[in-house]
C-alpha cells in the first residue's frame, strides 16, 4: 500500500489516499476501516453489507478472531480477502480485536497474549511472522506489548516499550528477508502508554531501526479496547498525541489509532493528523442496543436530541418513525423504532443486524462529511457541531454497557446479554 497526501491544512488535518499496489484502487483518508470478526462484518453477511455500501472498503482483521484459520488459508489459493468473501478488498491485519475488552496481565518476556473465543493463546515472534506470511495481508502491524492504559504504572509502561523494541527487532529482520512480507506494508507500533518520554523512546527506536521498512505507524496502549476506548477523553489523549505527531508527521506516513473512539475524539485526532480509524464504535453501540443518532448537519436541534437512541426504552413501543428521519440506510427505509424495539424484546437476531446496518451507514456518512470539511478547511466548524449538537453543554458520546437483561430463554438467539 502506498500513501499519498493530497491536501494539508494546519486547521483541518490532511486529506490523502492509500493506493493498493496490485489493483491501483484508491481509498480516501481519513479512512474508516471495516472491522471484522472472523473475517466477516459483525452480524452482516456479504450480501447484506452490499446493501450498506456498494463501495470497496479496507477490511480490518484481527488475529484474535482469525488465528485458527491458518491451516485453511495455507490450502486456499485465492488470498485473504477472497477467503472471507470480499475478493480484492484490501486487508489490514491487527493483533487484537478492537470490539472486545482485553484483560490486563498475562505478559511474559518472549510472548504476547492473544485472547480468543477459545481462551487465552500465546504468540511468539516466530509464530507471529509465520501467521502473517500465511495471511498475506496488504498491511500488518508489528508485534508489540500494548497492555497499558491511563492507570498503568511507570514500570509497566517501560516494560511495554522495551518488549516492543525486542519484538520489532525480529519483525524488521524477517520483513527484510521474506519475499512474502515484502509484498505487505509494515505498520510500526508506537508504545509508551500516556508517558511522553516513553512514547518518544518508542518513536526514536522505530525511526532508527525501522527505516525504509516502515510503511506507517499504529498507536496502541491507550485503553483495553471494547468500551474502554470510548471512555478515553480529549484531555487524556490529545496532549500525548500532539507530542508524538510533532515528531512523526514530517515522515509523511499514515498513522492509525484502532479502537472505539468517540466521534468527537476522532475529529480532534484527525485535525492533528491521524489518518486511519476502525468501525468498532458502531459495533459497540449496536451490541449495547444503541442506534447512532448524532448529527453533522446545521439544523434546528431539539432539546431531546441525543447521540444515541436506546432501543430498549419502552417509550419506543408505539413510535412508528424511522430511527432517523432523513437516514437512507436499509434499516431506516424499511423499518421503524417500534419494530426494532419489538425485536429487542423478543431477542430476534434481526435486531442487531438492523442496528449494525444503521450504525455502519451512519459512520460512513460521517466520514464523507469529514472529507468535505477538510477539503473546505472547515473542520473546526464540524468539531463544534459534533461537540455541542446545538446546545450549550458538551455532548457525551461515551458508550455505556447496557445492563438490562433479556429473559434467559432468549439469550444467545439474537441480542446477547450485556456485561456491566
Amino acid at each position: 500500500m502506498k500513501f499519498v497526501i493530497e491536501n494539508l491544512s494546519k486547521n483541518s488535518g490532511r486529506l490523502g489516499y492509500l493506493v493498493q499496489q496490485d489493483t491501483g484502487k484508491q481509498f480516501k483518508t481519513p479512512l474508516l476501516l471495516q472491522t471484522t470478526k472472523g473475517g466477516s462484518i459483525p452480524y452482516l453477511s456479504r450480501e447484506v453489507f452490499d446493501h450498506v455500501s456498494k463501495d470497496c472498503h479496507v477490511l480490518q482483521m484481527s488475529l484474535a478472531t482469525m488465528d485458527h484459520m491458518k491451516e485453511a488459508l495455507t490450502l486456499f489459493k485465492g488470498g485473504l480477502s477472497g477467503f472471507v468473501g470480499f475478493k480484492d478488498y484490501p486487508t489490514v491485519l491487527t493483533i487484537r480485536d478492537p470490539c472486545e475488552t482485553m484483560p490486563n496481565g498475562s505478559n511474559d518476556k518472549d510472548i504476547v497474549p492473544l485472547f480468543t473465543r477459545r481462551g487465552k493463546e500465546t504468540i511468539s515472534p516466530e509464530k507471529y511472522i509465520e501467521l502473517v506470511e500465511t495471511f498475506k495481508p496488504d498491511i500488518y502491524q508489528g508485534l508489540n506489548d500494548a497492555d497499558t492504559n491511563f492507570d498503568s504504572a511507570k514500570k509497566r509502561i517501560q516494560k511495554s516499550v522495551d518488549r516492543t523494541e525486542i519484538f520489532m527487532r525480529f519483525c524488521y529482520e524477517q520483513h527484510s528477508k521474506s519475499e512474502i512480507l515484502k509484498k505487505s506494508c509494515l505498520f510500526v507500533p508506537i508504545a509508551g502508554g500516556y508517558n511522553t518520554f516513553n512514547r518518544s523512546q518508542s518513536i526514536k527506536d522505530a525511526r532508527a531501526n525501522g527505516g525504509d521498512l516502515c510503511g506507517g505507524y499504529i498507536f496502541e496502549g491507550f485503553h483495553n479496547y471494547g468500551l474502554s476506548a470510548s471512555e478515553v477523553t480529549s484531555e487524556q489523549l490529545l496532549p500525548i498525541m500532539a507530542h508524538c505527531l510533532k515528531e512523526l508527521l514530517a515522515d509523511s506516513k499514515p498513522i492509525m489509532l484502532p479502537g472505539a473512539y468517540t466521534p468527537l475524539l476522532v475529529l480532534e485526532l484527525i485535525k492533528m493528523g491521524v489518518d486511519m480509524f476502525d468501525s468498532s464504535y458502531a459495533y459497540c453501540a449496536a451490541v449495547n442496543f444503541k442506534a447512532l443518532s448524532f448529527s453533522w448537519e446545521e439544523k434546528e436541534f431539539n432539546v431531546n436530541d441525543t447521540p444515541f437512541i436506546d432501543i430498549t426504552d419502552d417509550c419506543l413501543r408505539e413510535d412508528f418513525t424511522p430511527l432517523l428521519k432523513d437516514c437512507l440506510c436499509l434499516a431506516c427505509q424499511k423499518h421503524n423504532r417500534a419494530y426494532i424495539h419489538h425485536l429487542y424484546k423478543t431477542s430476534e437476531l434481526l435486531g442487531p443486524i438492523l442496528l449494525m446496518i444503521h450504525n455502519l451507514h451512519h459512520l460512513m456518512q460521517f466520514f464523507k462529511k469529514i472529507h468535505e470539511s477538510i477539503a473546505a478547511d472547515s473542520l473546526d466548524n464540524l468539531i463544534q457541531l459534533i461537540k455541542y449538537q446545538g446546545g450549550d453543554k458538551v455532548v457525551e458520546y461515551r458508550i455505556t454497557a447496557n445492563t438490562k437483561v433479556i429473559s434467559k430463554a432468549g439469550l444467545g438467539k439474537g441480542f446477547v446479554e450485556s456485561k456491566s
Side-chain angles (χ1 to χ4, degrees):
M1 298 288 281
K2 180 182 178 182
F3 179 57
V4 178
I5 297 176
E6 192 174 33
N7 181 35
L8 186 62
S9 169
K10 183 178 181 180
N11 297 317
S12 298
R14 58 185 184 181
L15 277 178
Y17 51 88
L18 291 175
V19 183
Q20 189 179 25
Q21 291 182 343
D22 294 339
T23 64
K25 292 179 180 177
Q26 297 181 0
F27 302 88
K28 286 186 177 181
T29 61
L31 178 64
L32 178 68
L33 304 174
Q34 294 302 315
T35 300
T36 67
K37 281 179 169 288
S40 300
I41 307 295
Y43 289 114
L44 307 185
S45 66
R46 171 60 197 272
E47 291 74 17
V48 172
F49 183 71
D50 284 341
H51 287 287
V52 179
S53 174
K54 296 292 185 183
D55 298 330
C56 181
H57 292 267
V58 181
L59 304 178
Q60 180 197 42
M61 302 184 179
S62 63
L63 283 181
T65 63
M66 295 190 68
D67 69 309
H68 60 286
M69 298 182 182
K70 177 190 172 185
E71 183 177 346
L73 275 166
T74 303
L75 302 174
F76 185 74
K77 305 301 180 183
L80 178 56
S81 60
F83 182 75
V84 298
F86 289 88
K87 187 177 180 181
D88 297 329
Y89 278 48
T91 54
V92 177
L93 183 64
T94 59
I95 300 169
R96 301 156 189 94
D97 179 3
C99 298
E100 307 297 338
T101 302
M102 183 181 72
N104 291 116
S106 302
N107 298 288
D108 192 49
K109 181 179 179 181
D110 301 319
I111 60 94
V112 168
L114 189 69
F115 298 96
T116 72
R117 295 179 68 179
R118 306 178 308 281
K120 191 190 79 172
E121 307 283 340
T122 58
I123 297 182
S124 65
E126 293 80 9
K127 181 179 178 181
Y128 181 65
I129 292 300
E130 184 181 344
L131 285 167
V132 175
E133 288 184 325
T134 302
F135 279 70
K136 301 181 183 67
D138 292 277
I139 297 172
Y140 75 99
Q141 72 168 116
L143 189 64
N144 65 95
D145 178 351
D147 185 14
T148 56
N149 54 42
F150 189 72
D151 298 320
S152 295
K154 291 183 178 180
K155 185 176 181 180
R156 170 85 280 273
I157 294 173
Q158 185 62 58
K159 281 187 176 181
S160 76
V161 174
D162 294 341
R163 294 178 71 234
T164 296
E165 290 179 359
I166 294 172
F167 293 147
M168 287 308 298
R169 296 283 195 284
F170 183 81
C171 290
Y172 293 140
E173 180 183 357
Q174 296 303 309
H175 187 90
S176 61
K177 293 193 305 185
S178 172
E179 291 300 320
I180 297 175
L181 294 181
K182 286 180 181 178
K183 298 178 182 178
S184 298
C185 179
L186 171 62
F187 271 34
V188 176
I190 304 299
Y194 286 85
N195 188 297
T196 54
F197 174 81
N198 290 117
R199 290 284 177 179
S200 291
Q201 177 187 345
S202 186
I203 291 172
K204 183 177 179 180
D205 182 80
R207 282 179 153 178
N209 297 290
D212 295 335
L213 300 178
C214 174
Y217 300 99
I218 180 169
F219 282 80
E220 295 183 282
F222 292 123
H223 51 77
N224 296 103
Y225 289 104
L227 296 184
S228 69
S230 75
E231 298 172 356
V232 176
T233 66
S234 300
E235 292 75 20
Q236 293 171 336
L237 184 58
L238 296 187
I240 299 294
M241 287 305 300
H243 172 85
C244 296
L245 294 175
K246 186 177 181 181
E247 301 182 32
L248 289 177
L249 287 180
D251 292 355
S252 299
K253 293 176 181 177
I255 295 170
M256 176 180 172
L257 262 73
Y261 293 106
T262 65
L264 177 58
L265 191 50
V266 165
L267 286 176
E268 292 171 326
L269 289 167
I270 286 173
K271 180 180 178 180
M272 298 173 71
V274 179
D275 306 288
M276 298 169 64
F277 303 87
D278 61 54
S279 61
S280 57
Y281 186 80
Y283 172 86
C284 289
V287 296
N288 285 285
F289 321 131
K290 293 176 173 62
L292 302 182
S293 58
F294 64 90
S295 176
W296 51 83
E297 301 293 348
E298 295 285 354
K299 66 173 188 176
E300 184 176 343
F301 288 88
N302 187 302
V303 68
N304 295 320
D305 287 346
T306 62
F308 309 106
I309 298 169
D310 185 349
I311 60 100
T312 70
D313 197 327
D314 284 339
C315 72
L316 301 182
R317 286 184 302 175
E318 298 180 3
D319 187 343
F320 300 107
T321 62
L323 290 172
L324 285 182
K325 179 181 177 182
D326 299 320
C327 181
L328 299 178
C329 79
L330 181 65
C332 290
Q333 291 296 302
K334 299 292 186 180
H335 305 286
N336 55 53
R337 297 180 179 189
Y339 179 61
I340 299 177
H341 173 74
H342 161 74
L343 295 175
Y344 156 73
K345 284 290 192 179
T346 56
S347 304
E348 289 289 343
L349 180 58
L350 183 57
I353 291 174
L354 293 179
L355 282 182
M356 275 301 294
I357 288 173
H358 170 77
N359 287 352
L360 280 181
H361 177 270
H362 200 72
L363 274 189
M364 290 178 192
Q365 297 304 307
F366 178 49
F367 267 73
K368 287 183 179 179
K369 180 63 177 182
I370 292 173
H371 296 153
E372 294 172 3
S373 298
I374 297 177
D377 199 15
S378 60
L379 193 66
D380 277 337
N381 295 337
L382 181 59
I383 290 175
Q384 290 302 306
L385 183 61
I386 295 298
K387 189 173 185 177
Y388 296 105
Q389 292 286 275
D392 299 325
K393 297 181 179 180
V394 176
V395 175
E396 177 61 81
Y397 288 95
R398 177 172 58 93
I399 301 173
T400 57
N402 194 310
T403 55
K404 297 179 182 178
V405 179
I406 310 171
S407 63
K408 291 185 178 180
L411 293 177
K413 295 181 180 179
F415 287 105
V416 296
E417 182 178 13
S418 291
K419 297 178 180 179
S420 58

